[in-house]
PDB file of all heavy atoms in Angstrom:
ATOM      1  N   LYS A1054     -12.220 -25.673   3.801  1.00  0.00           N
ATOM      2  CA  LYS A1054     -11.932 -27.089   4.072  1.00  0.00           C
ATOM      3  C   LYS A1054     -10.591 -27.173   4.810  1.00  0.00           C
ATOM      4  O   LYS A1054      -9.655 -26.437   4.515  1.00  0.00           O
ATOM      5  CB  LYS A1054     -11.898 -27.864   2.777  1.00  0.00           C
ATOM      6  CG  LYS A1054     -13.205 -27.757   2.007  1.00  0.00           C
ATOM      7  CD  LYS A1054     -13.618 -29.072   1.494  1.00  0.00           C
ATOM      8  CE  LYS A1054     -14.958 -28.961   0.814  1.00  0.00           C
ATOM      9  NZ  LYS A1054     -15.991 -29.541   1.604  1.00  0.00           N
ATOM     10  N   PRO A1055     -10.471 -28.072   5.805  1.00  0.00           N
ATOM     11  CA  PRO A1055      -9.293 -28.101   6.668  1.00  0.00           C
ATOM     12  C   PRO A1055      -7.958 -28.267   5.935  1.00  0.00           C
ATOM     13  O   PRO A1055      -6.992 -27.583   6.250  1.00  0.00           O
ATOM     14  CB  PRO A1055      -9.551 -29.281   7.609  1.00  0.00           C
ATOM     15  CG  PRO A1055     -11.010 -29.490   7.579  1.00  0.00           C
ATOM     16  CD  PRO A1055     -11.493 -29.037   6.243  1.00  0.00           C
ATOM     17  N   ARG A1056      -7.897 -29.161   4.952  1.00  0.00           N
ATOM     18  CA  ARG A1056      -6.631 -29.390   4.262  1.00  0.00           C
ATOM     19  C   ARG A1056      -6.232 -28.189   3.419  1.00  0.00           C
ATOM     20  O   ARG A1056      -5.059 -27.812   3.353  1.00  0.00           O
ATOM     21  CB  ARG A1056      -6.714 -30.642   3.404  1.00  0.00           C
ATOM     22  CG  ARG A1056      -6.846 -31.902   4.257  1.00  0.00           C
ATOM     23  CD  ARG A1056      -6.998 -33.134   3.425  1.00  0.00           C
ATOM     24  NE  ARG A1056      -5.729 -33.440   2.792  1.00  0.00           N
ATOM     25  CZ  ARG A1056      -5.586 -34.379   1.883  1.00  0.00           C
ATOM     26  NH1 ARG A1056      -6.607 -35.097   1.495  1.00  0.00           N
ATOM     27  NH2 ARG A1056      -4.395 -34.614   1.355  1.00  0.00           N
ATOM     28  N   ILE A1057      -7.204 -27.568   2.759  1.00  0.00           N
ATOM     29  CA  ILE A1057      -6.919 -26.381   1.943  1.00  0.00           C
ATOM     30  C   ILE A1057      -6.555 -25.215   2.838  1.00  0.00           C
ATOM     31  O   ILE A1057      -5.631 -24.448   2.559  1.00  0.00           O
ATOM     32  CB  ILE A1057      -8.127 -26.038   1.048  1.00  0.00           C
ATOM     33  CG1 ILE A1057      -8.487 -27.199   0.122  1.00  0.00           C
ATOM     34  CG2 ILE A1057      -7.884 -24.777   0.256  1.00  0.00           C
ATOM     35  CD1 ILE A1057      -7.447 -27.536  -0.899  1.00  0.00           C
ATOM     36  N   LYS A1058      -7.256 -25.075   3.950  1.00  0.00           N
ATOM     37  CA  LYS A1058      -6.987 -23.992   4.891  1.00  0.00           C
ATOM     38  C   LYS A1058      -5.573 -24.107   5.447  1.00  0.00           C
ATOM     39  O   LYS A1058      -4.856 -23.110   5.586  1.00  0.00           O
ATOM     40  CB  LYS A1058      -8.023 -24.030   6.021  1.00  0.00           C
ATOM     41  CG  LYS A1058      -8.049 -22.805   6.856  1.00  0.00           C
ATOM     42  CD  LYS A1058      -9.226 -22.865   7.808  1.00  0.00           C
ATOM     43  CE  LYS A1058      -9.377 -21.582   8.571  1.00  0.00           C
ATOM     44  NZ  LYS A1058     -10.525 -21.590   9.438  1.00  0.00           N
ATOM     45  N   ALA A1059      -5.157 -25.336   5.767  1.00  0.00           N
ATOM     46  CA  ALA A1059      -3.801 -25.541   6.281  1.00  0.00           C
ATOM     47  C   ALA A1059      -2.764 -25.204   5.214  1.00  0.00           C
ATOM     48  O   ALA A1059      -1.723 -24.584   5.505  1.00  0.00           O
ATOM     49  CB  ALA A1059      -3.630 -26.980   6.756  1.00  0.00           C
ATOM     50  N   PHE A1060      -3.034 -25.576   3.970  1.00  0.00           N
ATOM     51  CA  PHE A1060      -2.109 -25.272   2.869  1.00  0.00           C
ATOM     52  C   PHE A1060      -2.009 -23.776   2.646  1.00  0.00           C
ATOM     53  O   PHE A1060      -0.906 -23.241   2.464  1.00  0.00           O
ATOM     54  CB  PHE A1060      -2.563 -25.986   1.592  1.00  0.00           C
ATOM     55  CG  PHE A1060      -1.772 -25.600   0.378  1.00  0.00           C
ATOM     56  CD1 PHE A1060      -0.465 -26.037   0.229  1.00  0.00           C
ATOM     57  CD2 PHE A1060      -2.314 -24.792  -0.591  1.00  0.00           C
ATOM     58  CE1 PHE A1060       0.273 -25.682  -0.884  1.00  0.00           C
ATOM     59  CE2 PHE A1060      -1.596 -24.419  -1.703  1.00  0.00           C
ATOM     60  CZ  PHE A1060      -0.291 -24.868  -1.855  1.00  0.00           C
ATOM     61  N   LEU A1061      -3.132 -23.091   2.663  1.00  0.00           N
ATOM     62  CA  LEU A1061      -3.126 -21.646   2.412  1.00  0.00           C
ATOM     63  C   LEU A1061      -2.524 -20.869   3.577  1.00  0.00           C
ATOM     64  O   LEU A1061      -2.130 -19.704   3.404  1.00  0.00           O
ATOM     65  CB  LEU A1061      -4.552 -21.148   2.158  1.00  0.00           C
ATOM     66  CG  LEU A1061      -5.170 -21.599   0.836  1.00  0.00           C
ATOM     67  CD1 LEU A1061      -6.622 -21.163   0.766  1.00  0.00           C
ATOM     68  CD2 LEU A1061      -4.391 -21.070  -0.344  1.00  0.00           C
ATOM     69  N   GLY A1062      -2.420 -21.462   4.749  1.00  0.00           N
ATOM     70  CA  GLY A1062      -1.844 -20.783   5.899  1.00  0.00           C
ATOM     71  C   GLY A1062      -0.341 -20.963   6.039  1.00  0.00           C
ATOM     72  O   GLY A1062       0.273 -20.336   6.913  1.00  0.00           O
ATOM     73  N   ARG A1063       0.267 -21.795   5.194  1.00  0.00           N
ATOM     74  CA  ARG A1063       1.707 -21.997   5.276  1.00  0.00           C
ATOM     75  C   ARG A1063       2.454 -20.758   4.804  1.00  0.00           C
ATOM     76  O   ARG A1063       2.033 -20.089   3.838  1.00  0.00           O
ATOM     77  CB  ARG A1063       2.122 -23.189   4.405  1.00  0.00           C
ATOM     78  CG  ARG A1063       1.638 -24.500   4.946  1.00  0.00           C
ATOM     79  CD  ARG A1063       1.970 -25.685   4.082  1.00  0.00           C
ATOM     80  NE  ARG A1063       3.252 -25.550   3.429  1.00  0.00           N
ATOM     81  CZ  ARG A1063       3.543 -26.144   2.282  1.00  0.00           C
ATOM     82  NH1 ARG A1063       2.674 -26.879   1.655  1.00  0.00           N
ATOM     83  NH2 ARG A1063       4.734 -25.985   1.735  1.00  0.00           N
ATOM     84  N   PRO A1064       3.559 -20.414   5.447  1.00  0.00           N
ATOM     85  CA  PRO A1064       4.292 -19.208   5.056  1.00  0.00           C
ATOM     86  C   PRO A1064       4.761 -19.211   3.595  1.00  0.00           C
ATOM     87  O   PRO A1064       4.688 -18.190   2.924  1.00  0.00           O
ATOM     88  CB  PRO A1064       5.488 -19.174   6.008  1.00  0.00           C
ATOM     89  CG  PRO A1064       5.065 -19.965   7.183  1.00  0.00           C
ATOM     90  CD  PRO A1064       4.120 -21.003   6.668  1.00  0.00           C
ATOM     91  N   GLY A1065       5.214 -20.345   3.094  1.00  0.00           N
ATOM     92  CA  GLY A1065       5.649 -20.416   1.709  1.00  0.00           C
ATOM     93  C   GLY A1065       4.520 -20.127   0.730  1.00  0.00           C
ATOM     94  O   GLY A1065       4.710 -19.414  -0.271  1.00  0.00           O
ATOM     95  N   THR A1066       3.358 -20.645   1.016  1.00  0.00           N
ATOM     96  CA  THR A1066       2.186 -20.385   0.164  1.00  0.00           C
ATOM     97  C   THR A1066       1.803 -18.915   0.224  1.00  0.00           C
ATOM     98  O   THR A1066       1.497 -18.303  -0.796  1.00  0.00           O
ATOM     99  CB  THR A1066       1.009 -21.260   0.611  1.00  0.00           C
ATOM    100  OG1 THR A1066       1.405 -22.626   0.628  1.00  0.00           O
ATOM    101  CG2 THR A1066      -0.170 -21.098  -0.317  1.00  0.00           C
ATOM    102  N   LEU A1067       1.822 -18.348   1.413  1.00  0.00           N
ATOM    103  CA  LEU A1067       1.469 -16.932   1.555  1.00  0.00           C
ATOM    104  C   LEU A1067       2.461 -16.020   0.842  1.00  0.00           C
ATOM    105  O   LEU A1067       2.071 -15.033   0.212  1.00  0.00           O
ATOM    106  CB  LEU A1067       1.363 -16.563   3.043  1.00  0.00           C
ATOM    107  CG  LEU A1067       0.172 -17.161   3.771  1.00  0.00           C
ATOM    108  CD1 LEU A1067       0.287 -16.894   5.265  1.00  0.00           C
ATOM    109  CD2 LEU A1067      -1.130 -16.598   3.228  1.00  0.00           C
ATOM    110  N   TRP A1068       3.753 -16.347   0.923  1.00  0.00           N
ATOM    111  CA  TRP A1068       4.751 -15.552   0.203  1.00  0.00           C
ATOM    112  C   TRP A1068       4.531 -15.635  -1.302  1.00  0.00           C
ATOM    113  O   TRP A1068       4.619 -14.628  -2.012  1.00  0.00           O
ATOM    114  CB  TRP A1068       6.167 -16.000   0.541  1.00  0.00           C
ATOM    115  CG  TRP A1068       6.713 -15.316   1.763  1.00  0.00           C
ATOM    116  CD1 TRP A1068       6.933 -15.868   2.987  1.00  0.00           C
ATOM    117  CD2 TRP A1068       7.079 -13.942   1.884  1.00  0.00           C
ATOM    118  NE1 TRP A1068       7.403 -14.910   3.853  1.00  0.00           N
ATOM    119  CE2 TRP A1068       7.510 -13.737   3.202  1.00  0.00           C
ATOM    120  CE3 TRP A1068       7.075 -12.875   1.000  1.00  0.00           C
ATOM    121  CZ2 TRP A1068       7.939 -12.489   3.649  1.00  0.00           C
ATOM    122  CZ3 TRP A1068       7.509 -11.631   1.455  1.00  0.00           C
ATOM    123  CH2 TRP A1068       7.937 -11.458   2.776  1.00  0.00           C
ATOM    124  N   PHE A1069       4.252 -16.848  -1.797  1.00  0.00           N
ATOM    125  CA  PHE A1069       3.993 -17.011  -3.224  1.00  0.00           C
ATOM    126  C   PHE A1069       2.774 -16.188  -3.643  1.00  0.00           C
ATOM    127  O   PHE A1069       2.818 -15.464  -4.644  1.00  0.00           O
ATOM    128  CB  PHE A1069       3.778 -18.477  -3.575  1.00  0.00           C
ATOM    129  CG  PHE A1069       3.322 -18.675  -4.988  1.00  0.00           C
ATOM    130  CD1 PHE A1069       4.217 -18.585  -6.027  1.00  0.00           C
ATOM    131  CD2 PHE A1069       1.991 -18.929  -5.283  1.00  0.00           C
ATOM    132  CE1 PHE A1069       3.805 -18.746  -7.346  1.00  0.00           C
ATOM    133  CE2 PHE A1069       1.568 -19.079  -6.589  1.00  0.00           C
ATOM    134  CZ  PHE A1069       2.478 -18.995  -7.621  1.00  0.00           C
ATOM    135  N   LEU A1070       1.679 -16.290  -2.880  1.00  0.00           N
ATOM    136  CA  LEU A1070       0.468 -15.544  -3.216  1.00  0.00           C
ATOM    137  C   LEU A1070       0.712 -14.045  -3.180  1.00  0.00           C
ATOM    138  O   LEU A1070       0.237 -13.299  -4.046  1.00  0.00           O
ATOM    139  CB  LEU A1070      -0.666 -15.910  -2.268  1.00  0.00           C
ATOM    140  CG  LEU A1070      -1.270 -17.289  -2.450  1.00  0.00           C
ATOM    141  CD1 LEU A1070      -2.243 -17.592  -1.319  1.00  0.00           C
ATOM    142  CD2 LEU A1070      -1.951 -17.400  -3.787  1.00  0.00           C
ATOM    143  N   PHE A1071       1.475 -13.578  -2.195  1.00  0.00           N
ATOM    144  CA  PHE A1071       1.767 -12.157  -2.077  1.00  0.00           C
ATOM    145  C   PHE A1071       2.573 -11.656  -3.282  1.00  0.00           C
ATOM    146  O   PHE A1071       2.187 -10.686  -3.945  1.00  0.00           O
ATOM    147  CB  PHE A1071       2.524 -11.883  -0.783  1.00  0.00           C
ATOM    148  CG  PHE A1071       3.079 -10.492  -0.670  1.00  0.00           C
ATOM    149  CD1 PHE A1071       2.242  -9.400  -0.671  1.00  0.00           C
ATOM    150  CD2 PHE A1071       4.433 -10.292  -0.583  1.00  0.00           C
ATOM    151  CE1 PHE A1071       2.751  -8.098  -0.582  1.00  0.00           C
ATOM    152  CE2 PHE A1071       4.954  -9.007  -0.489  1.00  0.00           C
ATOM    153  CZ  PHE A1071       4.114  -7.924  -0.501  1.00  0.00           C
ATOM    154  N   LEU A1072       3.654 -12.336  -3.600  1.00  0.00           N
ATOM    155  CA  LEU A1072       4.527 -11.873  -4.666  1.00  0.00           C
ATOM    156  C   LEU A1072       3.903 -12.061  -6.064  1.00  0.00           C
ATOM    157  O   LEU A1072       3.936 -11.157  -6.894  1.00  0.00           O
ATOM    158  CB  LEU A1072       5.876 -12.601  -4.594  1.00  0.00           C
ATOM    159  CG  LEU A1072       6.697 -12.309  -3.340  1.00  0.00           C
ATOM    160  CD1 LEU A1072       7.917 -13.205  -3.275  1.00  0.00           C
ATOM    161  CD2 LEU A1072       7.093 -10.845  -3.288  1.00  0.00           C
ATOM    162  N   PHE A1073       3.343 -13.250  -6.314  1.00  0.00           N
ATOM    163  CA  PHE A1073       2.772 -13.527  -7.624  1.00  0.00           C
ATOM    164  C   PHE A1073       1.586 -12.617  -7.925  1.00  0.00           C
ATOM    165  O   PHE A1073       1.495 -12.032  -9.015  1.00  0.00           O
ATOM    166  CB  PHE A1073       2.354 -15.006  -7.721  1.00  0.00           C
ATOM    167  CG  PHE A1073       1.746 -15.359  -9.037  1.00  0.00           C
ATOM    168  CD1 PHE A1073       2.551 -15.600 -10.129  1.00  0.00           C
ATOM    169  CD2 PHE A1073       0.378 -15.426  -9.196  1.00  0.00           C
ATOM    170  CE1 PHE A1073       2.008 -15.910 -11.356  1.00  0.00           C
ATOM    171  CE2 PHE A1073      -0.180 -15.742 -10.406  1.00  0.00           C
ATOM    172  CZ  PHE A1073       0.632 -15.989 -11.502  1.00  0.00           C
ATOM    173  N   ASN A1074       0.671 -12.485  -6.990  1.00  0.00           N
ATOM    174  CA  ASN A1074      -0.516 -11.672  -7.241  1.00  0.00           C
ATOM    175  C   ASN A1074      -0.181 -10.185  -7.269  1.00  0.00           C
ATOM    176  O   ASN A1074      -0.825  -9.424  -7.995  1.00  0.00           O
ATOM    177  CB  ASN A1074      -1.592 -11.977  -6.203  1.00  0.00           C
ATOM    178  CG  ASN A1074      -2.214 -13.324  -6.466  1.00  0.00           C
ATOM    179  OD1 ASN A1074      -2.755 -13.574  -7.529  1.00  0.00           O
ATOM    180  ND2 ASN A1074      -2.131 -14.217  -5.504  1.00  0.00           N
ATOM    181  N   GLY A1075       0.821  -9.765  -6.498  1.00  0.00           N
ATOM    182  CA  GLY A1075       1.257  -8.365  -6.570  1.00  0.00           C
ATOM    183  C   GLY A1075       1.847  -8.061  -7.941  1.00  0.00           C
ATOM    184  O   GLY A1075       1.560  -7.007  -8.544  1.00  0.00           O
ATOM    185  N   ALA A1076       2.680  -8.978  -8.448  1.00  0.00           N
ATOM    186  CA  ALA A1076       3.257  -8.772  -9.781  1.00  0.00           C
ATOM    187  C   ALA A1076       2.177  -8.847 -10.864  1.00  0.00           C
ATOM    188  O   ALA A1076       2.187  -8.043 -11.808  1.00  0.00           O
ATOM    189  CB  ALA A1076       4.332  -9.843 -10.041  1.00  0.00           C
ATOM    190  N   ALA A1077       1.232  -9.771 -10.709  1.00  0.00           N
ATOM    191  CA  ALA A1077       0.136  -9.884 -11.683  1.00  0.00           C
ATOM    192  C   ALA A1077      -0.718  -8.616 -11.682  1.00  0.00           C
ATOM    193  O   ALA A1077      -1.162  -8.163 -12.745  1.00  0.00           O
ATOM    194  CB  ALA A1077      -0.707 -11.117 -11.396  1.00  0.00           C
ATOM    195  N   ALA A1078      -0.947  -8.045 -10.522  1.00  0.00           N
ATOM    196  CA  ALA A1078      -1.731  -6.805 -10.440  1.00  0.00           C
ATOM    197  C   ALA A1078      -1.026  -5.673 -11.168  1.00  0.00           C
ATOM    198  O   ALA A1078      -1.661  -4.912 -11.896  1.00  0.00           O
ATOM    199  CB  ALA A1078      -1.976  -6.423  -8.985  1.00  0.00           C
ATOM    200  N   ALA A1079       0.290  -5.582 -10.994  1.00  0.00           N
ATOM    201  CA  ALA A1079       1.046  -4.525 -11.677  1.00  0.00           C
ATOM    202  C   ALA A1079       1.033  -4.725 -13.197  1.00  0.00           C
ATOM    203  O   ALA A1079       0.807  -3.761 -13.953  1.00  0.00           O
ATOM    204  CB  ALA A1079       2.485  -4.497 -11.158  1.00  0.00           C
ATOM    205  N   VAL A1080       1.205  -5.944 -13.630  1.00  0.00           N
ATOM    206  CA  VAL A1080       1.199  -6.231 -15.075  1.00  0.00           C
ATOM    207  C   VAL A1080      -0.185  -5.968 -15.651  1.00  0.00           C
ATOM    208  O   VAL A1080      -0.324  -5.372 -16.736  1.00  0.00           O
ATOM    209  CB  VAL A1080       1.644  -7.692 -15.337  1.00  0.00           C
ATOM    210  CG1 VAL A1080       1.361  -8.104 -16.765  1.00  0.00           C
ATOM    211  CG2 VAL A1080       3.123  -7.855 -15.020  1.00  0.00           C
ATOM    212  N   MET A1081      -1.231  -6.388 -14.937  1.00  0.00           N
ATOM    213  CA  MET A1081      -2.595  -6.157 -15.432  1.00  0.00           C
ATOM    214  C   MET A1081      -2.899  -4.672 -15.538  1.00  0.00           C
ATOM    215  O   MET A1081      -3.593  -4.236 -16.476  1.00  0.00           O
ATOM    216  CB  MET A1081      -3.612  -6.837 -14.522  1.00  0.00           C
ATOM    217  CG  MET A1081      -3.599  -8.343 -14.625  1.00  0.00           C
ATOM    218  SD  MET A1081      -4.664  -9.109 -13.405  1.00  0.00           S
ATOM    219  CE  MET A1081      -6.230  -8.952 -14.223  1.00  0.00           C
ATOM    220  N   TYR A1082      -2.425  -3.895 -14.605  1.00  0.00           N
ATOM    221  CA  TYR A1082      -2.695  -2.464 -14.622  1.00  0.00           C
ATOM    222  C   TYR A1082      -2.106  -1.818 -15.886  1.00  0.00           C
ATOM    223  O   TYR A1082      -2.725  -0.963 -16.505  1.00  0.00           O
ATOM    224  CB  TYR A1082      -2.148  -1.786 -13.385  1.00  0.00           C
ATOM    225  CG  TYR A1082      -2.436  -0.311 -13.334  1.00  0.00           C
ATOM    226  CD1 TYR A1082      -3.704   0.136 -12.974  1.00  0.00           C
ATOM    227  CD2 TYR A1082      -1.496   0.617 -13.706  1.00  0.00           C
ATOM    228  CE1 TYR A1082      -4.005   1.489 -12.951  1.00  0.00           C
ATOM    229  CE2 TYR A1082      -1.772   1.980 -13.692  1.00  0.00           C
ATOM    230  CZ  TYR A1082      -3.037   2.394 -13.309  1.00  0.00           C
ATOM    231  OH  TYR A1082      -3.319   3.734 -13.304  1.00  0.00           O
ATOM    232  N   PHE A1083      -0.901  -2.228 -16.267  1.00  0.00           N
ATOM    233  CA  PHE A1083      -0.254  -1.616 -17.417  1.00  0.00           C
ATOM    234  C   PHE A1083      -0.624  -2.276 -18.737  1.00  0.00           C
ATOM    235  O   PHE A1083      -0.541  -1.653 -19.794  1.00  0.00           O
ATOM    236  CB  PHE A1083       1.268  -1.620 -17.234  1.00  0.00           C
ATOM    237  CG  PHE A1083       1.718  -0.703 -16.134  1.00  0.00           C
ATOM    238  CD1 PHE A1083       2.240  -1.204 -14.971  1.00  0.00           C
ATOM    239  CD2 PHE A1083       1.590   0.677 -16.267  1.00  0.00           C
ATOM    240  CE1 PHE A1083       2.641  -0.360 -13.936  1.00  0.00           C
ATOM    241  CE2 PHE A1083       1.979   1.529 -15.247  1.00  0.00           C
ATOM    242  CZ  PHE A1083       2.505   1.011 -14.098  1.00  0.00           C
ATOM    243  N   ALA A1084      -1.055  -3.547 -18.712  1.00  0.00           N
ATOM    244  CA  ALA A1084      -1.343  -4.252 -19.955  1.00  0.00           C
ATOM    245  C   ALA A1084      -2.788  -4.117 -20.407  1.00  0.00           C
ATOM    246  O   ALA A1084      -3.084  -4.305 -21.585  1.00  0.00           O
ATOM    247  CB  ALA A1084      -1.005  -5.744 -19.786  1.00  0.00           C
ATOM    248  N   MET A1085      -3.700  -3.819 -19.508  1.00  0.00           N
ATOM    249  CA  MET A1085      -5.126  -3.758 -19.855  1.00  0.00           C
ATOM    250  C   MET A1085      -5.585  -2.311 -19.956  1.00  0.00           C
ATOM    251  O   MET A1085      -4.840  -1.392 -19.600  1.00  0.00           O
ATOM    252  CB  MET A1085      -5.938  -4.505 -18.796  1.00  0.00           C
ATOM    253  CG  MET A1085      -5.573  -5.971 -18.687  1.00  0.00           C
ATOM    254  SD  MET A1085      -6.365  -6.798 -17.311  1.00  0.00           S
ATOM    255  CE  MET A1085      -7.889  -7.259 -18.086  1.00  0.00           C
ATOM    256  N   SER A1086      -6.805  -2.135 -20.445  1.00  0.00           N
ATOM    257  CA  SER A1086      -7.345  -0.792 -20.541  1.00  0.00           C
ATOM    258  C   SER A1086      -8.798  -0.797 -20.094  1.00  0.00           C
ATOM    259  O   SER A1086      -9.420  -1.852 -19.977  1.00  0.00           O
ATOM    260  CB  SER A1086      -7.246  -0.283 -21.988  1.00  0.00           C
ATOM    261  OG  SER A1086      -8.046  -1.096 -22.827  1.00  0.00           O
ATOM    262  N   GLY A1087      -9.305   0.377 -19.856  1.00  0.00           N
ATOM    263  CA  GLY A1087     -10.706   0.508 -19.476  1.00  0.00           C
ATOM    264  C   GLY A1087     -10.996   0.002 -18.071  1.00  0.00           C
ATOM    265  O   GLY A1087     -10.131  -0.004 -17.181  1.00  0.00           O
ATOM    266  N   LEU A1088     -12.242  -0.394 -17.883  1.00  0.00           N
ATOM    267  CA  LEU A1088     -12.694  -0.867 -16.579  1.00  0.00           C
ATOM    268  C   LEU A1088     -12.002  -2.175 -16.178  1.00  0.00           C
ATOM    269  O   LEU A1088     -11.749  -2.403 -14.992  1.00  0.00           O
ATOM    270  CB  LEU A1088     -14.212  -1.065 -16.590  1.00  0.00           C
ATOM    271  CG  LEU A1088     -14.898  -1.404 -15.300  1.00  0.00           C
ATOM    272  CD1 LEU A1088     -14.659  -0.305 -14.273  1.00  0.00           C
ATOM    273  CD2 LEU A1088     -16.383  -1.593 -15.512  1.00  0.00           C
ATOM    274  N   ASP A1089     -11.660  -3.008 -17.169  1.00  0.00           N
ATOM    275  CA  ASP A1089     -10.970  -4.272 -16.882  1.00  0.00           C
ATOM    276  C   ASP A1089      -9.644  -4.033 -16.166  1.00  0.00           C
ATOM    277  O   ASP A1089      -9.237  -4.827 -15.325  1.00  0.00           O
ATOM    278  CB  ASP A1089     -10.719  -5.050 -18.166  1.00  0.00           C
ATOM    279  CG  ASP A1089     -11.991  -5.561 -18.805  1.00  0.00           C
ATOM    280  OD1 ASP A1089     -13.005  -5.634 -18.087  1.00  0.00           O
ATOM    281  OD2 ASP A1089     -11.959  -5.901 -20.003  1.00  0.00           O
ATOM    282  N   ARG A1090      -8.972  -2.955 -16.511  1.00  0.00           N
ATOM    283  CA  ARG A1090      -7.687  -2.629 -15.879  1.00  0.00           C
ATOM    284  C   ARG A1090      -7.854  -2.463 -14.378  1.00  0.00           C
ATOM    285  O   ARG A1090      -7.117  -3.032 -13.584  1.00  0.00           O
ATOM    286  CB  ARG A1090      -7.160  -1.338 -16.470  1.00  0.00           C
ATOM    287  CG  ARG A1090      -6.079  -0.686 -15.611  1.00  0.00           C
ATOM    288  CD  ARG A1090      -5.777   0.707 -16.050  1.00  0.00           C
ATOM    289  NE  ARG A1090      -4.838   0.636 -17.153  1.00  0.00           N
ATOM    290  CZ  ARG A1090      -4.315   1.694 -17.748  1.00  0.00           C
ATOM    291  NH1 ARG A1090      -4.671   2.911 -17.387  1.00  0.00           N
ATOM    292  NH2 ARG A1090      -3.471   1.568 -18.720  1.00  0.00           N
ATOM    293  N   TYR A1091      -8.860  -1.701 -13.979  1.00  0.00           N
ATOM    294  CA  TYR A1091      -9.046  -1.409 -12.570  1.00  0.00           C
ATOM    295  C   TYR A1091      -9.624  -2.586 -11.788  1.00  0.00           C
ATOM    296  O   TYR A1091      -9.195  -2.854 -10.661  1.00  0.00           O
ATOM    297  CB  TYR A1091      -9.916  -0.161 -12.404  1.00  0.00           C
ATOM    298  CG  TYR A1091      -9.322   1.042 -13.095  1.00  0.00           C
ATOM    299  CD1 TYR A1091      -9.914   1.583 -14.219  1.00  0.00           C
ATOM    300  CD2 TYR A1091      -8.138   1.589 -12.632  1.00  0.00           C
ATOM    301  CE1 TYR A1091      -9.347   2.676 -14.855  1.00  0.00           C
ATOM    302  CE2 TYR A1091      -7.569   2.672 -13.265  1.00  0.00           C
ATOM    303  CZ  TYR A1091      -8.162   3.206 -14.370  1.00  0.00           C
ATOM    304  OH  TYR A1091      -7.595   4.274 -15.003  1.00  0.00           O
ATOM    305  N   ILE A1092     -10.550  -3.285 -12.381  1.00  0.00           N
ATOM    306  CA  ILE A1092     -11.148  -4.430 -11.697  1.00  0.00           C
ATOM    307  C   ILE A1092     -10.127  -5.556 -11.566  1.00  0.00           C
ATOM    308  O   ILE A1092      -9.943  -6.124 -10.486  1.00  0.00           O
ATOM    309  CB  ILE A1092     -12.426  -4.906 -12.417  1.00  0.00           C
ATOM    310  CG1 ILE A1092     -13.517  -3.866 -12.247  1.00  0.00           C
ATOM    311  CG2 ILE A1092     -12.878  -6.256 -11.885  1.00  0.00           C
ATOM    312  CD1 ILE A1092     -14.791  -4.164 -12.986  1.00  0.00           C
ATOM    313  N   GLY A1093      -9.445  -5.888 -12.649  1.00  0.00           N
ATOM    314  CA  GLY A1093      -8.478  -6.981 -12.620  1.00  0.00           C
ATOM    315  C   GLY A1093      -7.307  -6.712 -11.688  1.00  0.00           C
ATOM    316  O   GLY A1093      -6.971  -7.529 -10.824  1.00  0.00           O
ATOM    317  N   SER A1094      -6.703  -5.542 -11.840  1.00  0.00           N
ATOM    318  CA  SER A1094      -5.543  -5.223 -10.990  1.00  0.00           C
ATOM    319  C   SER A1094      -5.973  -5.006  -9.545  1.00  0.00           C
ATOM    320  O   SER A1094      -5.240  -5.372  -8.628  1.00  0.00           O
ATOM    321  CB  SER A1094      -4.790  -4.015 -11.518  1.00  0.00           C
ATOM    322  OG  SER A1094      -5.612  -2.873 -11.508  1.00  0.00           O
ATOM    323  N   GLY A1095      -7.162  -4.486  -9.339  1.00  0.00           N
ATOM    324  CA  GLY A1095      -7.647  -4.288  -7.974  1.00  0.00           C
ATOM    325  C   GLY A1095      -7.888  -5.606  -7.261  1.00  0.00           C
ATOM    326  O   GLY A1095      -7.522  -5.771  -6.095  1.00  0.00           O
TER     327      GLY A1095
END
């Protein structure tokens, strides 16, 4: 959708998504176990 696409293309939004999801992936990798660890962090 145009409004969502414009929001997701803003540099501030992209930086937030990059940093937050990268940190969440690292935390998920160390906090979870089994297949959930790899799927979630991946």
Side-chain angles (χ1 to χ4, degrees):
K1054 302 225 176 253
R1056 293 177 72 188
I1057 301 295
K1058 194 172 186 177
F1060 173 72
L1061 290 174
R1063 291 177 36 207
T1066 306
L1067 290 172
W1068 273 109
F1069 172 77
L1070 288 172
F1071 170 62
L1072 295 173
F1073 179 80
N1074 287 302
V1080 168
M1081 288 173 82
Y1082 182 78
F1083 292 111
M1085 299 172 87
S1086 63
L1088 187 60
D1089 292 341
R1090 162 192 277 183
Y1091 301 111
I1092 290 176
S1094 62

